[in-house]
Amino acid sequence: MIELHINGEAHRLPQPCTLGELLQRLDLQQRRVAAELNGWVIPRSQHGACVLADGDRLELVHAIGGG
Amino acid sequence: MNVATSPPDCLIVHGHIFTSRLLVGTGHYADLEQTRAAIEASGAEVVTFAVRRSNLGQDAAQPNLLEVIPPERYTLLPNTAGCYTAEDAVRTCLLARELLDGHDLVKLEVLGDPRTLYPDIGETLKAAERLVREGFQVMVYTSDDPLAARKLEDLGCVAIMPLGAPIGSGLGIRNPYNIGLIVENARVPVIVDAGVGTPSDATFAMELGCAGVLMNTAIAKARDPLLMAAAMRKAVQAGREGYLAGRMPRRSLGDASSPLGGLFY
């Protein structure tokens, strides 16, 4: 069991997984989102190789209306 | 030479060529369809948007903003609206670049006060310096201070975007003399960003010699956003042509347009 913060909220995952697997689980894989893990942007090409760890802080962002 | 035979009068921002001098935002619209239709009616080619946390419970079938402003059709301009520190603005730009697969044209804005939404120039300068170093092409929102504008240009910003009035206020161009000074000093495009409320405000900004106008609320919060978008398109064009045509000299007294000779009474 690992615990991490996704967009400021605590989430528990039964076992370690990659960022790519998490996005798939959250149904975000096909959507245009960008990921920042512990303050570092993770390029889309590395989502599959990026293993999430206990205590990670993950931000998932997208485009929204604004001026 | 008339307008039809003259060379096209384009807005050029760091090598990006645009025929429209109206740049628009995507906030405050009723829905994405209205956003799409208003942008289309405005004729804008540069469209700005914000970057926010994704809603994790979101229905995957729900439409996404980028679907109605496809990057193949529009030049997307991610902005750092809502940032109060240089650090947050830089983070936002780095995420936006990832979101848009390496696209590095951004609109930097670092606010200093939630009531007026005035820019914090100190933080804006810090952020601009870092972003230029990171390879971004920075279009920067700033106050109407000519010295701040000059410093931002010296740091390498590709467009200077002074406010006409506070963001979302619709108060128009409050300090035309300063906007004029900024235009006079600048070697990069000066684009009024924020404050425009009516088509005449947009025309006035263009008559001052600005290279363009960026607006959002003036269109989105109009009673009829699509009609206002079309009006703004014409207003910006009218102001530009008026600026190029050169205004008549001002006189303090009347000067009859009809000849004074040949009167028969």
Side-chain angles (χ1 to χ4, degrees), chain B residues 132-162:
Chain B
V132 169
R133 210 168 50 223
E134 294 272 358
F136 285 95
Q137 298 160 39
V138 181
M139 299 176 71
V140 63
Y141 168 67
T142 182
S143 65
D144 57 20
D145 173 0
L147 296 180
R150 166 55 61 84
K151 285 182 183 172
L152 288 163
E153 183 178 341
D154 289 346
L155 284 176
C157 292
V158 300
I160 303 298
M161 305 206 288

Side-chain angles (χ1 to χ4, degrees), chain B residues 54-107:
Chain B
S54 299
N55 180 357
L56 300 183
Q58 204 174 22
D59 176 5
Q62 209 179 323
N64 182 299
L65 177 67
L66 296 182
E67 287 164 21
V68 301
I69 46 165
E72 309 80 56
R73 173 161 178 199
Y74 295 103
T75 296
L76 300 189
L77 187 62
N79 65 56
T80 65
C83 289
Y84 281 81
T85 64
E87 193 195 335
D88 286 345
V90 172
R91 275 178 79 192
T92 303
C93 289
L94 290 169
L95 279 164
R97 181 155 70 182
E98 163 63 14
L99 203 55
L100 297 179
D101 305 316
H103 168 98
D104 50 20
L105 186 69
V106 293
K107 174 184 145 172

Side-chain angles (χ1 to χ4, degrees), chain B residues 184-214:
Chain B
E184 206 179 296
N185 294 337
R187 288 149 298 169
V188 297
V190 174
I191 296 168
V192 160
D193 179 3
V196 164
T198 63
S200 59
D201 293 337
T203 302
F204 185 40
M206 295 306 293
E207 286 173 354
L208 291 171
C210 291
V213 178
L214 193 159

